[in-house]
Amino acid sequence: VRRLTAKLRRAGALLLLPLSTIPLVAVAPRIVDSHANYERVHNSGPLPAPAVALSPAERAGYARLPAHPDAVPVLAYHAINESHRYLSITPKEFARQMRLLRHLGYEAISIAAYQRFRAGDTAGLPARPVLITFDGGRLDAYRGADRILERERLRATMFVVTARIERKDPDHLTWRELHRMADSGRWDVQSGTHDADREVATDAIGGHASFLAARRYTRSGGKETFAGFEQRITTDIFAARKALEAQGFEPRAIAAPFGDEGRHGAEAARIVPLLSGLLTRQFGTYFVRDEANNPTYSHSGAGRVSRFEVTASVGTDQLYAWLRRRDPGAPATDSPRKKD
Amino acid sequence: VLPPRPGITVLDRLVRVGAGAYLLALLGAVIAFKGMFLDAIATDPLFVAYGIVVVSYIMSRFLFAAMYRPAKDAGLEPRVAIVMPGFNEEAAIAQSLRSLLVADYPADKLEIVAVNDGSTDRTLDRMEAVAAESGGRVRVIDFARNQGKRAAMAAGIRETDAEIIAFVDSDSVLEPEALRRLVQGFADPKVGAICGHADVLNVDGGWLAKMQAVRYFVAFKVVKAAESLFGAVTCCSGCFSAYRRDAILPHLDWWEHQRFLGLPSTFGDDRSLTNCVLRTWKVRYDSRAVSHTIVPETFRQFMKQQVRWKRSWTRESLIVAKFIWRKHPIAALSTYVGMLLPLVAPIVALRALLWLPFAQSGGAPLIYLAGVYAMAVAYGLYYVMRQPRYSGVWIYGIAFCFFYLFFLLWQTYYAVVTARSVSWGTRPATAGTEVPS
């Protein structure tokens, strides 16, 4: 027995060696976390603009389009990174597209100028205006885009999801950074809702839809009433407006998450007017996504504007094709333009 | 008296190899971690620099320790006198003296000088008993009243004309071949003093003793070995050390009557004597000259001993700082860093454990503790790697690092402020204070 206990004690003592790794392994995720945090705080400035050039063939192919001071094409970007996801674009591709805009003689306008244009005041608009927008308030979009915009003498509008800023989500811009961006004169800050950049359940069997675009289902309360729906989205949009104002940014436009305004839901007939009215009243202009991603250039007028969403599969050719197709001076090549 | 030589199995060898691989991986991980946060030096220069200095210091200790080799056997057999002072040591003194008599060393070249420092117990009787049975190899010097350890040691030194003077604490026991091994380093004529290795004898004496076992091991096999590489060991432990007579004689009077801020220096005799020699000689460490020493087993005793050590560290650091720059540049740098770190460490610990949790979110305290833990595991693994037979004692090394963090780290400032104190804490406060100046 004594021998056995001695052996057991020795085995136990040997076990101490592997056991001693446990605290080290356990703390590893915290270290990785802390490093991410650290990088977020200290290594979040704009990235250098990648060198890009349009080839002579491209320059020849991308012929300048007629001036159209009465219409403003609006581009919607999301993330800039190398992930090649649907709503991401690489820094290089973004740089090429901005170079293309400059090559074609486009000048990016501010959200204030766009607001005036929507109000029918086209005085002071450049010959070829364009509005460049980013959804989501993502850090990588700012880091990737800023130096490129600076180089091409362009500017952009960032739509921020204010609840996410308050949550200090590391992948998203902070108020301090947004103020710095605005101070640079290259960026405008507008709303991407307060906390509606997510989906909610719409029934008990897994149906879901954009937060703003459908009545919500909860187990306790079942499907919310239209009054409840209106209250919910009103609360969010008011909060978004308030948060923006609290930071000293004048609310001029809002981008609906997922570009979804409920047009395709079963209750579109009641949802769309409710949402549309709310967004128009609170922000004047709201941006959505056109179903075929082939929106017309927006003309002046209140309310809804659809943007050309630049996804991972959009290159300079596709961008040029869209700009050309929707050019008011160019002959219509596809379905006739509908009035907004 | 000495612990039996353990039986070593294949498993023990495998464990040692495994611990070595683990240690390398751990050190690699620590370097990688430091690399991850290297940019932070721009935003937080002081504390990041501190972290880098600490890691470099520890890594360099391991590296130099790995490069260290004990002195080769040169066949040296110089005349040696072992001086053993004793004050109220009636329980252990006879055994300690007898362990010197059985040393594997020619009888005609080894003399032992026992100094009774005015003991009030039967220490003198015990000394004389051993002297009587030693055939004249043990001489006894008797102080009628207590004059302090330095006076006793100095009297012992003056009593002999041996070429090499060795000191063995009365609570230390030598391995039979320890003395022969220790003196081999004197083959280098520039070496003025050599520090032997000290293991903990009462390793079964509870958790505190086990902690100290790992600590002693690291302090000797890593820190002293690293210092020895450059001939600049800064403290020849009182447990077991040897000096060239020529190296200490010019300093003997000063050393015996050393004063600090107007009061006689009653402790830290070992570090002080080392400093005297280090100024002009090389000082080495020999890992194969092994003594076994009894360490405090109670918290109170241990804390008192540590304060005393830190006080003498303070006093002697002021001395060593004045001349170490003339030594090997790496030794000088290491010594200055070794002085600075204990002074800064409490601030860094306070900041990481108490301030940062409030000032910023994130895992500052946890990561700091993980750093302490990694250092502790590294020392523990080194202990495992270098022990012939595996035992779980190394885990107390981890406990010690946290014990150090929570109890000993804070002593430094107290010791610096009270460095002038003459109190031994464990001995009568009067011992040595009445030495005429």
Side-chain angles (χ1 to χ4, degrees):
Chain A
V1 172
R2 188 176 279 179
R3 246 184 151 165
L4 189 71
T5 49
K7 273 205 164 151
L8 279 175
R9 281 179 71 102
R10 192 158 154 77
L14 277 170
L15 217 56
L16 292 173
L17 278 169
L19 285 177
S20 70
T21 60
I22 290 175
L24 295 168
V25 172
V27 84
R30 290 297 291 270
I31 290 174
V32 170
D33 236 42
S34 147
H35 183 248
N37 239 324
Y38 168 77
E39 289 282 307
R40 179 65 188 82
V41 174
H42 298 288
N43 208 1
S44 52
L47 298 171
V52 287
L54 299 175
S55 68
E58 283 172 329
R59 291 157 72 99
Y62 299 142
R64 207 170 248 228
L65 303 167
H68 51 79
D70 59 334
V72 181
V74 184
L75 304 179
Y77 291 92
H78 293 260
I80 298 183
N81 55 45
E82 301 283 350
S83 74
H84 298 285
R85 287 196 194 153
Y86 178 65
L87 288 176
S88 295
I89 182 169
T90 64
K92 192 146 187 144
E93 185 51 42
F94 182 75
R96 277 176 56 79
Q97 293 181 9
M98 295 303 106
R99 177 61 55 85
L100 172 66
L101 292 179
R102 288 298 292 173
H103 168 72
L104 295 174
Y106 279 98
E107 287 177 56
I109 62 170
S110 70
I111 198 71
Y114 189 75
Q115 189 187 29
R116 287 195 296 276
F117 156 74
R118 297 282 296 163
D121 175 12
T122 57
L125 273 188
R128 293 179 183 80
V130 64
L131 182 68
I132 301 166
T133 67
F134 284 88
D135 279 8
R138 293 179 58 97
L139 176 69
D140 65 0
Y142 160 69
R143 296 189 71 190
D146 189 62
R147 291 286 182 257
I148 295 169
L149 294 174
E150 184 181 30
R151 183 175 68 192
E152 309 296 344
R153 292 192 296 281
L154 296 167
R155 59 180 299 147
T157 298
M158 180 62 82
F159 294 112
V160 298
V161 182
T162 40
R164 212 177 256 156
I165 300 175
E166 283 156 21
R167 281 197 296 269
K168 297 187 174 23
D169 182 328
D171 293 332
H172 291 79
L173 293 157
T174 63
W175 283 124
R176 179 202 278 262
E177 287 164 334
L178 288 162
H179 281 291
R180 264 208 314 265
M181 288 162 63
D183 291 345
S184 77
R186 267 191 300 287
W187 293 89
D188 294 307
V189 177
Q190 289 298 312
S191 180
T193 75
H194 177 63
D195 196 15
D197 191 12
R198 56 196 167 116
E199 295 196 315
V200 290
T202 53
D203 55 42
I205 52 167
H208 51 88
S210 157
F211 182 94
L212 290 182
R215 284 196 292 150
R216 182 183 205 167
Y217 168 83
T218 52
R219 277 189 199 190
S220 55
K223 197 132 179 141
E224 69 189 344
T225 61
F226 279 102
F229 165 77
E230 191 172 4
Q231 191 183 358
R232 177 167 60 83
I233 64 171
T234 304
T235 305
D236 183 274
I237 299 307
F238 273 44
R241 194 191 154 100
K242 233 174 131 178
L244 214 57
E245 283 172 335
Q247 292 293 324
F249 297 116
E250 195 178 324
R252 301 175 194 273
I254 185 168
F258 316 105
D260 189 356
E261 53 181 332
R263 202 164 282 275
H264 309 295
E267 299 170 328
R270 292 196 66 178
I271 297 278
V272 175
L274 276 176
L275 181 58
S276 168
L278 174 66
L279 297 179
T280 309
R281 279 193 305 279
Q282 293 305 318
F283 283 89
T285 297
Y286 69 96
F287 291 100
V288 294
R289 183 175 189 273
D290 175 86
E291 190 186 4
N293 197 26
N294 193 16
T296 178
Y297 283 11
S298 64
H299 294 255
S300 53
R304 177 181 188 274
V305 179
S306 50
R307 297 173 293 174
F308 180 63
E309 197 160 63
V310 186
T311 60
S313 59
V314 172
T316 46
D317 281 354
Q318 287 80 4
L319 177 58
Y320 181 69
W322 176 71
L323 289 167
R324 185 167 173 278
R325 191 154 60 233
R326 289 303 173 192
D327 191 287
T333 50
D334 50 12
S335 57
R337 248 175 21 233
K338 54 179 195 263
K339 280 276 177 209
D340 268 0
Chain B
V1 181
L2 293 177
R5 297 273 158 139
I8 299 155
T9 64
V10 180
L11 183 65
D12 288 311
R13 288 176 209 281
L14 282 175
V15 166
R16 287 168 62 187
V17 172
Y22 180 5
L23 177 61
L24 281 179
L26 180 62
L27 296 181
V30 170
I31 291 173
F33 168 77
K34 283 289 160 193
M36 273 170 83
F37 289 90
L38 206 58
D39 299 351
I41 197 144
T43 49
D44 192 9
L46 281 180
F47 288 98
V48 173
Y50 168 84
I52 292 169
V53 168
V54 168
V55 168
S56 316
Y57 182 77
I58 295 173
M59 298 276 173
S60 68
R61 296 307 93 182
F62 278 116
L63 179 72
F64 295 145
M67 292 162 67
Y68 163 83
R69 299 283 176 276
K72 287 200 185 70
D73 185 358
L76 249 55
E77 281 180 347
R79 285 209 309 119
V80 177
I82 301 180
V83 176
M84 182 180 275
F87 173 68
N88 290 349
E89 313 259 7
E90 63 178 7
I93 192 74
Q95 195 182 58
S96 301
L97 286 171
R98 286 197 189 101
S99 91
L100 304 181
L101 284 171
V102 299
D104 166 30
Y105 209 79
D108 58 326
K109 292 192 168 171
L110 174 62
E111 57 178 312
I112 292 150
V113 184
V115 187
N116 173 39
D117 184 15
S119 301
T120 52
D121 64 357
R122 304 191 59 192
T123 301
L124 181 63
D125 294 351
R126 299 282 189 274
M127 285 178 171
E128 280 173 343
V130 178
E133 71 201 40
S134 71
R137 289 173 64 202
V138 176
R139 268 187 285 167
V140 177
I141 300 174
D142 180 35
F143 288 176
R145 60 190 179 104
N146 180 245
Q147 299 194 27
K149 194 177 172 191
R150 287 191 196 215
M153 289 167 80
I157 296 165
R158 292 198 183 93
E159 182 66 21
T160 172
D161 60 354
E163 187 187 343
I164 304 295
I165 316 279
F167 297 106
V168 179
D169 267 351
S170 51
D171 48 11
S172 296
V173 179
L174 298 190
E175 290 192 356
E177 63 274 39
L179 185 62
R180 177 181 293 279
R181 284 182 175 161
L182 188 66
V183 298
Q184 299 310 312
F186 288 115
D188 180 346
K190 289 182 182 149
V191 170
I194 303 171
C195 175
H197 179 81
D199 272 340
V200 169
L201 184 60
N202 51 335
V203 69
D204 295 325
W207 59 275
L208 203 52
K210 286 190 172 69
M211 279 184 183
Q212 292 175 80
V214 182
R215 197 221 181 169
Y216 268 60
F217 189 84
V218 170
F220 281 82
K221 293 250 163 142
V222 180
V223 181
K224 284 202 204 299
E227 289 178 341
S228 182
L229 202 61
F230 305 99
V233 174
T234 51
C235 178
C236 284
S237 157
C239 302
F240 179 38
S241 298
Y243 294 79
R244 228 182 257 281
R245 186 184 171 78
D246 294 347
I248 43 178
L249 272 190
H251 306 284
L252 194 56
D253 283 332
W254 177 86
W255 173 73
E256 187 184 347
H257 302 123
Q258 182 182 2
R259 295 176 81 85
F260 179 62
L261 301 176
L263 286 178
S265 305
T266 51
F267 43 76
D269 49 85
D270 48 2
R271 195 177 273 276
S272 170
L273 192 57
T274 308
N275 264 349
C276 294
V277 174
L278 184 58
R279 218 178 271 269
T280 42
W281 300 74
K282 285 185 182 172
V283 180
R284 293 213 190 274
Y285 155 75
D286 200 299
S287 63
R288 294 186 312 168
V290 181
S291 66
H292 296 258
T293 193
I294 294 170
V295 298
E297 290 180 12
T298 68
F299 183 77
R300 229 177 110 76
Q301 257 185 327
F302 179 64
M303 294 301 276
K304 279 181 177 169
Q305 179 207 49
Q306 292 299 307
V307 169
R308 213 165 58 229
W309 286 9
K310 285 193 171 71
R311 282 180 184 147
S312 64
W313 172 84
T314 304
R315 188 187 69 217
E316 296 305 320
S317 288
L318 293 173
I319 295 172
V320 82
K322 282 186 226 155
F323 69 81
I324 195 74
W325 56 272
R326 282 187 258 133
K327 294 280 180 177
H328 192 289
I330 296 180
L333 184 67
S334 302
T335 308
Y336 289 123
V337 169
M339 285 173 201
L340 196 65
L341 292 185
L343 296 175
V344 184
I347 300 170
V348 176
L350 276 179
R351 175 177 183 264
L353 296 175
L354 297 178
W355 168 245
L356 286 186
F358 290 103
Q360 65 180 48
S361 57
L366 202 67
I367 289 174
Y368 176 81
L369 290 174
V372 173
Y373 180 77
M375 178 183 74
V377 172
Y379 287 147
L381 288 174
Y382 191 78
Y383 181 83
V384 171
M385 222 175 90
R386 301 288 300 269
Q387 290 288 317
R389 187 178 153 83
Y390 178 81
S391 83
V393 169
W394 71 279
I395 210 79
Y396 288 90
I398 296 182
F400 179 78
C401 282
F402 287 93
F403 182 88
Y404 192 94
L405 175 63
F406 289 111
F407 296 105
L408 297 181
L409 196 61
W410 317 102
Q411 267 189 348
T412 309
Y413 295 145
Y414 172 71
V416 167
V417 170
T418 60
R420 201 165 160 254
S421 165
V422 293
S423 163
W424 269 73
T426 54
R427 297 191 183 200
T430 54
T433 52
E434 60 269 62
V435 169
S437 53

